[in-house]
């Protein structure tokens, strides 16, 4: 028998041994990189996960994952397999779907996770379209939990996330919605030391002022502008951390603190803009989803609505 024949026979034998549930498990491990969390997500024991992983190693002739003190890391082969496994499982899922998607006839639940900022900026326009075109669709909006984002996408607890790129895993498909910039604000009636009429506030003066940051899920006394201040050799005086942008405006107005807020939350009659010598870098707002949802008709339709909502305005001739 030729080497080619042996190779084909070996491939056929391995394919016969490969099960759909094993591919789903492999996909989950590639996402989580933690066997105990995968066991919890799939509702099986850790022993079952270990046994299935052993069979997968035999089928692929590779270790696939290497244990570390924090979980597992994929081998080069496992990393190459990741997008192909996502594609295969997407194709299999498509077999169970109809060929034509009709929003008006769709019934089901779609779950979105976002900070209160994206809830105010992104959701009103999107929800209006969803209610008009898919009245049978029920939408659940959850507060963004950065530390649980991967798990929520993996388990299907969340379908779509609105976030900034730094919080989203590299292997998560994304689309850019818009670019945002920050504005430095204070209470409308605040008296800012060192600020003269018609002048800008030096960054050293600004860094010394009591400041507020928004930390939606971690409660940290540090925000996006800290790195920017540090580039100038300055450490800003953060005295207050709040979990939402809605709370931020109220607290700035009542505590005589200053803060950097996204421009789309302004103007606000309670706040005034501070003239400062330089501006911190802006940020991108993106939508992110699990790769298995890439070809799902409902997901694709909703992403198309988002693309239309945030499409650049046509230039005037």
């Amino acid at each position: 028998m030729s080497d080619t024949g042996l190779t084909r026979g070996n491939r056929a034998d391995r394919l016969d041994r490969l099960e759909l549930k094993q591919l789903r498990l492999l996909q989950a491990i590639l996402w989580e990189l933690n066997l105990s969390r995968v066991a919890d997500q799939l509702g099986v024991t850790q022993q079952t996960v270990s046994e299935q992983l052993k069979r997968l190693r035999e089928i692929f002739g590779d270790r696939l994952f290497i244990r570390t003190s924090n979980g597992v890391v994929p081998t080069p082969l496992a990393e190459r397999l990741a997008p192909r496994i996502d594609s295969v499982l997407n194709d299999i899922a498509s077999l169970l779907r109809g060929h034509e998607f009709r929003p008006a006839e769709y019934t089901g639940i779609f779950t979105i996770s976002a900070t209160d900022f994206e809830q105010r900026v992104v959701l009103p326009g999107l929800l209006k379209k969803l209610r008009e075109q898919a009245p049978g669709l029920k939408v659940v909006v959850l507060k963004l939990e950065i530390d649980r984002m991967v798990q929520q996408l993996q388990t299907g607890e969340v379908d779509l996330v609105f976030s900034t790129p730094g919080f989203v895993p590299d292997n998560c498909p994304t689309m850019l919605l818009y670019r945002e910039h920050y504005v430095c604000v204070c209470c409308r009636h605040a008296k800012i030391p060192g600020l003269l009429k018609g002048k800008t506030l030096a960054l050293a003066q600004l860094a010394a002022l009591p400041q507020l940051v928004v930390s939606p899920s971690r409660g940290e006394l540090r925000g996006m502008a800290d790195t920017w201040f540090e580039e100038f050799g300055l450490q800003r005086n953060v005295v207050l951390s709040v979990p939402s942008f809605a709370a931020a405006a109220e607290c700035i107005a009542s505590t005589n603190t200053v803060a950097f807020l996204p421009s789309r939350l302004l103007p606000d009659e309670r706040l005034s803009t501070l003239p400062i010598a330089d501006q911190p870098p802006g940020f991108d707002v993106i939508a992110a989803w699990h790769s298995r949802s890439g070809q799902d008709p409902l997901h694709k339709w909703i992403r198309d609505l988002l693309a239309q909502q945030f499409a650049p305005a046509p230039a005037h001739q």
Side-chain angles (χ1 to χ4, degrees), residues 185-306:
V185 298
C186 63
C187 175
R188 183 178 178 182
H189 305 293
K191 298 185 186 300
I192 303 298
L195 180 59
L196 301 177
K197 187 174 182 179
K199 302 293 184 179
T200 59
L201 194 66
L203 291 186
Q205 294 173 297
L206 176 60
L209 295 176
Q211 299 192 33
L212 172 149
V213 297
V214 178
S215 183
S217 61
R218 294 178 178 173
E220 297 176 335
L221 286 166
R222 184 177 176 86
M224 63 81 219
D226 286 271
T227 301
W228 178 65
F229 275 102
E230 289 162 2
E231 291 174 356
F232 294 93
L234 300 170
Q235 182 174 357
R236 64 172 176 157
N237 179 26
V238 177
V239 300
L240 183 60
S241 173
V242 297
S244 69
F245 288 96
E250 290 283 356
C251 292
I252 295 165
S254 63
T255 60
N256 206 32
T257 53
V258 301
F260 290 94
L261 295 184
S263 67
R264 282 172 171 79
L265 296 181
L266 303 170
D268 187 309
E269 62 182 11
R270 298 165 294 183
L271 308 176
S272 292
T273 300
L274 271 176
I276 58 178
D278 202 352
Q279 298 292 333
F283 62 96
D284 292 342
V285 173
I286 62 172
W289 58 93
H290 192 281
S291 56
R292 68 167 173 269
S293 304
Q295 300 304 313
D296 182 86
L298 172 64
H299 283 253
K300 290 177 67 176
W301 176 67
I302 290 177
R303 296 199 298 270
D304 286 343
L305 292 180
L306 285 169

Side-chain angles (χ1 to χ4, degrees), residues 2-251:
S2 67
D3 291 342
T4 303
L6 286 170
T7 301
R8 288 175 178 169
N10 181 261
R11 287 177 179 172
D13 177 63
R14 289 189 296 165
L15 185 60
D16 288 341
R17 293 159 56 199
L18 188 61
E19 300 177 6
L20 180 59
K21 65 181 180 182
Q22 292 171 332
L23 288 180
R24 291 181 60 238
L25 179 135
L26 183 52
Q27 183 188 57
I29 300 175
L30 283 163
W31 265 79
E32 285 294 329
L33 300 179
N34 185 291
L35 302 186
S36 60
R37 285 204 297 266
V38 168
D40 290 340
Q41 289 176 16
L42 300 181
V44 299
T45 64
Q46 291 189 39
Q47 181 180 353
T48 298
V49 171
S50 297
E51 290 173 352
Q52 292 296 335
L53 181 54
K54 180 180 178 181
R55 293 175 187 172
L56 285 165
R57 284 169 168 161
E58 292 172 354
I59 291 170
F60 287 101
D62 187 86
R63 294 179 67 183
L64 297 178
F65 299 95
I66 300 169
R67 290 185 181 272
T68 70
S69 58
N70 295 321
V72 295
V73 294
T75 65
L77 174 63
E79 289 183 336
R80 293 196 300 272
L81 288 173
R84 298 166 68 183
I85 290 170
D86 289 341
S87 177
V88 167
L89 291 176
N90 276 333
D91 288 343
I92 292 173
S94 70
L95 295 174
L96 305 177
R97 297 192 290 259
H99 295 292
E100 184 178 353
F101 179 69
R102 297 182 177 88
E105 300 175 5
Y106 186 87
T107 58
I109 300 174
F110 192 84
T111 304
I112 296 171
S113 173
T115 67
D116 68 317
F117 167 54
E118 281 90 16
Q119 289 174 27
R120 289 178 61 181
V121 175
V122 179
L123 285 185
L126 176 63
L127 295 178
K128 182 175 184 294
K129 292 292 186 183
L130 294 180
R131 291 301 305 145
E132 289 173 350
Q133 300 181 37
L137 175 67
K138 295 176 171 48
V139 179
V140 176
V141 179
L142 302 177
K143 175 185 174 183
L144 179 67
E145 297 184 65
I146 294 169
D147 296 326
R148 295 190 62 234
M149 181 192 302
V150 172
Q151 178 183 349
Q152 289 176 321
L153 287 170
Q154 171 66 38
T155 60
E157 182 181 347
V158 165
D159 296 301
L160 194 63
V161 170
F162 298 137
S163 180
T164 54
F167 295 125
V168 176
D170 291 338
N171 60 346
C172 195
T174 64
M175 66 180 288
L176 174 66
L177 299 182
Y178 61 92
R179 291 186 165 89
E180 176 62 285
H181 67 275
Y182 288 102
V183 177
C184 188
V185 298
C186 63
C187 175
R188 183 178 178 182
H189 305 293
K191 298 185 186 300
I192 303 298
L195 180 59
L196 301 177
K197 187 174 182 179
K199 302 293 184 179
T200 59
L201 194 66
L203 291 186
Q205 294 173 297
L206 176 60
L209 295 176
Q211 299 192 33
L212 172 149
V213 297
V214 178
S215 183
S217 61
R218 294 178 178 173
E220 297 176 335
L221 286 166
R222 184 177 176 86
M224 63 81 219
D226 286 271
T227 301
W228 178 65
F229 275 102
E230 289 162 2
E231 291 174 356
F232 294 93
L234 300 170
Q235 182 174 357
R236 64 172 176 157
N237 179 26
V238 177
V239 300
L240 183 60
S241 173
V242 297
S244 69
F245 288 96
E250 290 283 356
C251 292

